[in-house]
């Protein structure tokens, strides 16, 4: 299983764009990259998933370079309510049981 | 649309007591999971099930047992609770169809304190 590395914490201000990068140097050919968000006292929530290039939904964008050894979660114009822990997971699609949640990145949005 | 429901939400146990955490999902998912999350840590997989009547060990299975008698329910049991099992427990489910990606649906969590 691909190991991921992401920053422990990040601070940002309201209205800014936030980019959280995840490294996954040994990603396999059939692995997908999935990001989850966890608020205090709640279970994680799926944000976005991608395989290559760029994926965008109503919440975030995911940028994946050609070599796929890293990925960047982009949150546009963050608000205080975006303060949460963000997890980057790598694994084959349809094999959620193989996904490993690391410590994630604590994003704190300041007023 | 309930999704994944866990009971109880809070529980205090004495060392050596036993208890069962109940999890129910209404999305007809094949896979179900139990995770634990300690303060400041990520989630660690305790046990999981790929279908009714089947269970498998995850990363930290010791001290826990599980059962999946019905597709919609996944039970986590502590036979003899220890203070080290004080944690937040999350139940989750997912569809393992390849087109579903890796979307895992989590419950609200169960806070367990062992004194």
């Amino acid at each position: 299983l691909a190991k991921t590395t992401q920053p422990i914490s990040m601070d940002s201000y309201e209205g800014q764009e936030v980019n959280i990068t995840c490294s996954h140097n040994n990603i396999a050919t059939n692995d997908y990259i999935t990001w989850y968000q966890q608020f205090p006292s709640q279970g994680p929530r799926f944000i976005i998933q991608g395989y290559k290039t760029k994926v965008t939904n109503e919440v975030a964008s995911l940028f994946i370079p050609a070599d796929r050894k890293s990925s960047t979660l982009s949150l546009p114009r963050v608000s205080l309510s975006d303060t949460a822990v963000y997890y980057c997971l790598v694994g084959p699609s349809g094999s959620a049981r193989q996904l490993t949640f690391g410590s994630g990145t604590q994003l704190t949005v300041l007023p | 649309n309930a999704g994944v429901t866990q009971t109880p939400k809070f529980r205090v146990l004495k060392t050596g007591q036993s208890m069962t955490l109940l999890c129910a999902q209404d999305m007809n998912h094949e896979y179900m999971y139990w995770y634990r999350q300690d303060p400041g840590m990520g989630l660690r997989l305790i046990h999981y099930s790929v279908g009714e009547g089947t269970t498998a060990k995850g990363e930290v299975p010791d001290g826990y047992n599980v059962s999946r008698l019905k597709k919609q329910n996944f039970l986590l049991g502590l036979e003899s609770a220890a203070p080290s099992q004080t944690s937040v427990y999350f139940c989750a489910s997912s569809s393992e169809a390849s087109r579903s990606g890796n979307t895992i649906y989590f419950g609200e969590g169960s806070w367990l304190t062992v004194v």
Side-chain angles (χ1 to χ4, degrees):
Chain A
L1 298 176
K3 179 180 171 58
T4 61
T5 303
Q6 49 183 125
I8 294 174
S9 63
M10 295 181 66
D11 290 341
S12 180
Y13 291 95
E14 279 191 294
Q16 290 187 331
E17 178 183 75
V18 170
N19 296 309
I20 306 175
T21 297
C22 179
S23 297
H24 27 79
N25 291 319
N26 61 338
I27 188 169
T29 302
N30 61 341
D31 283 346
Y32 282 70
I33 301 153
T34 312
W35 285 81
Y36 281 79
Q37 174 191 56
Q38 185 179 26
F39 296 115
S41 302
Q42 293 186 26
R45 181 177 69 107
F46 172 89
I47 301 177
I48 196 166
Q49 178 174 285
Y51 183 80
K52 62 181 179 180
T53 64
K54 176 184 175 182
V55 179
T56 298
N57 61 23
E58 65 278 5
V59 177
S61 294
L62 179 59
F63 297 92
I64 305 169
D67 66 6
R68 303 199 329 122
K69 293 184 182 301
S70 67
S71 59
T72 299
L73 174 72
S74 181
L75 304 172
R77 298 180 297 283
V78 294
S79 63
L80 297 177
S81 62
D82 291 315
T83 294
V85 177
Y86 292 83
Y87 297 96
C88 166
L89 290 79
V90 174
S93 181
S95 297
R97 68 190 182 281
Q98 297 184 39
L99 299 182
T100 300
F101 286 81
S103 297
T105 298
Q106 171 66 59
L107 172 66
T108 302
V109 180
L110 306 169
Chain B
N1 190 1
V4 179
T5 305
Q6 298 180 223
T7 54
K9 192 169 179 64
F10 300 97
R11 183 75 185 268
V12 178
L13 280 178
K14 294 182 179 180
T15 298
Q17 284 185 319
S18 64
M19 76 158 296
T20 301
L21 296 175
L22 311 178
C23 178
Q25 54 96 2
D26 61 2
M27 296 172 282
N28 201 35
H29 284 163
E30 298 89 355
Y31 279 44
M32 295 187 74
Y33 318 81
W34 276 106
Y35 294 87
R36 62 176 287 174
Q37 185 172 35
D38 300 319
M41 306 283 287
L43 284 79
R44 292 185 291 171
L45 184 63
I46 304 171
H47 285 281
Y48 66 95
S49 168
V50 303
E52 182 178 320
T54 68
T55 63
K57 294 180 180 180
E59 182 185 355
V60 288
D62 295 341
Y64 306 94
N65 57 75
V66 288
S67 64
R68 183 108 180 260
L69 299 180
K70 294 182 179 180
K71 185 177 184 179
Q72 64 269 32
N73 297 334
F74 196 29
L75 280 60
L76 177 71
L78 285 72
E79 291 186 344
S80 180
S84 62
Q85 294 177 303
T86 294
S87 189
V88 183
Y89 292 85
F90 289 100
C91 178
S93 70
S94 70
S95 172
E96 288 300 292
S98 60
R99 63 180 182 275
S100 74
N102 287 328
T103 306
I104 308 173
Y105 297 84
F106 285 85
E108 296 280 309
S110 294
W111 275 253
L112 177 64
T113 301
V114 182
V115 298

